[in-house]
């Protein structure tokens, strides 16, 4: 499986990989979550489309003044209000028993969405010491919101977040994400992945993500290369492959 790839310095390098990857592969099926590739090129290489492209919210990180200037006005106003409240923000490494993991599981069941299970985040934290960070907001000594950030190389991922009614009234998640942005930028990260944009089923969350100044970046879909399917994939009408 190649997820969010292949990583290449240029479009030409990516095209070269597409033409030659089988030279380095052992013939088993390959699942590709493609990025920066054209459907016509993937079809020509014998890949069969499995899922339509997703769009991600990718947030460039920079200096604090630059990032603050990039915030949408309503997002910045909510951040200003949160900063005026008596909210205490802490940062610590994710533990297996942190309340955010159960809150995420309950939230997913209640809202009917599926993602990587909370156990994945706990395993990531155990395998990558210090790289799974929880930013937690407390109001009057009570947790009201938390966000989990996974750090990996020059990038980081907003893995999950949860806010209760009090946290939402206080705009605590705006404050947590802002603090995470500043921390990540100061510690060598260049980009924060805020996850998939779903304008149909999660319009409010989509506005929240884009309000940070993140850009909507379309992916190239999920594709499968399997020997028996490859000849059929090359003849698949392009309209069905896009």
């Amino acid at each position: 499986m190649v997820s969010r790839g292949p990583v290449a310095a240029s479009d030409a390098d990516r095209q070269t990989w597409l033409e030659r990857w089988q030279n380095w592969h052992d013939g088993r099926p390959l699942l590709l979550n493609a990025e920066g590739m054209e459907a016509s090129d993937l079809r020509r290489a014998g890949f069969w489309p499995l899922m339509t492209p997703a769009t991600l919210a990718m947030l460039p990180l920079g200096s604090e003044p630059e990032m603050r200037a990039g915030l949408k006005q309503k997002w910045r106003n909510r951040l200003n209000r949160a900063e005026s409240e008596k909210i205490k923000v802490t940062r610590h490494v994710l533990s297996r028993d942190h309340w955010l993991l159960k809150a995420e599981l309950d939230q997913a069941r209640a809202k009917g969405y599926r993602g990587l299970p909370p156990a994945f985040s706990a395993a990531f934290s155990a395998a990558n010491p210090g790289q799974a960070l929880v930013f937690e907001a407390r109001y009057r000594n009570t947790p009201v919101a938390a966000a989990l950030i996974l750090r990996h190389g020059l990038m980081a991922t907003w893995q999950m977040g949860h806010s209760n009614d009090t946290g939402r009234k206080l705009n605590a998640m705006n404050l947590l994400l802002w603090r995470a942005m500043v921390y990540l930028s100061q510690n060598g990260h260049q980009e924060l992945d805020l996850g998939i944009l779903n304008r149909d089923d999660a319009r409010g969350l989509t506005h929240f993500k884009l309000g940070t100044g993140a850009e909507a970046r379309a992916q190239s879909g999920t594709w499968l290369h399997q020997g028996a399917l490859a000849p059929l994939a090359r003849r698949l009408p392009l309209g069905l492959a896009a």
Side-chain angles (χ1 to χ4, degrees), residues 59 67-83 158 170-182 192 194 204-214:
L59 175 62
M67 292 191 295
R68 195 143 194 143
L71 300 175
K72 303 297 184 185
Q73 186 64 53
K74 289 183 178 179
W75 210 99
R76 189 184 303 114
N77 290 343
R78 292 188 177 101
L79 173 61
N80 291 337
R81 288 197 292 271
E83 289 177 327
W158 180 31
L170 296 173
N171 301 298
M173 193 59 72
N174 296 73
L175 181 59
L176 289 181
L177 185 50
W178 172 251
R179 294 285 182 87
M181 290 162 58
V182 172
L192 177 59
L194 296 177
L205 183 57
T206 293
H207 288 161
F208 176 81
K209 293 177 180 181
L210 295 178
T212 63

Side-chain angles (χ1 to χ4, degrees), residues 1-208:
M1 178 179 178
V2 176
S3 185
R4 299 275 297 279
V7 177
S10 67
D11 290 340
D13 289 343
R14 194 174 288 108
Q15 187 64 33
T16 298
W17 178 90
L18 190 59
E19 295 170 355
R20 301 181 182 179
W21 69 270
Q22 292 185 80
N23 295 339
W24 313 305
H25 195 61
D26 60 7
R28 288 180 295 173
L30 176 66
L31 185 66
L32 172 64
N33 289 323
E35 185 169 9
M37 309 185 83
E38 296 293 333
S40 56
D41 293 333
L42 288 159
R43 183 192 63 167
R44 191 178 306 114
F47 282 85
W48 186 272
L50 296 181
M51 294 183 66
T52 56
T55 299
L56 302 177
M58 303 299 297
L59 175 62
L61 301 173
S63 69
E64 190 169 341
E66 289 172 337
M67 292 191 295
R68 195 143 194 143
L71 300 175
K72 303 297 184 185
Q73 186 64 53
K74 289 183 178 179
W75 210 99
R76 189 184 303 114
N77 290 343
R78 292 188 177 101
L79 173 61
N80 291 337
R81 288 197 292 271
E83 289 177 327
S84 70
E85 299 287 351
K86 295 180 180 180
I87 301 173
K88 181 180 180 181
V89 175
T90 59
R91 182 188 70 249
H92 48 85
V93 174
L94 175 70
S95 61
R96 287 187 174 272
D97 60 352
H98 194 279
W99 64 265
L100 177 59
L101 297 179
K102 184 178 185 305
E104 168 64 15
L105 187 61
D106 292 342
Q107 182 173 259
R109 287 171 177 167
K111 296 186 177 181
Y113 66 83
R114 294 181 64 184
L116 289 172
F120 168 86
S121 299
F124 181 96
S125 183
N128 301 276
Q131 303 305 299
L133 297 179
V134 176
F135 291 77
E136 184 175 279
R138 287 178 169 263
Y139 183 71
R140 297 177 179 175
N141 294 322
T142 301
V144 295
L148 173 62
I149 305 293
L150 305 183
R151 304 171 62 194
H152 40 94
L154 297 178
M155 292 183 61
T157 297
W158 180 31
Q159 185 65 17
M160 65 179 71
H162 180 79
S163 181
N164 63 20
D165 290 341
T166 301
R168 285 187 285 273
K169 291 177 182 177
L170 296 173
N171 301 298
M173 193 59 72
N174 296 73
L175 181 59
L176 289 181
L177 185 50
W178 172 251
R179 294 285 182 87
M181 290 162 58
V182 172
Y183 175 85
L184 293 170
S185 178
Q186 292 174 346
N187 285 272
H189 298 280
Q190 298 178 358
E191 198 167 35
L192 177 59
D193 182 350
L194 296 177
I196 293 175
L197 296 173
N198 186 343
R199 291 181 171 87
D200 295 328
D201 302 321
R203 186 168 299 179
L205 183 57
T206 293
H207 288 161
F208 176 81

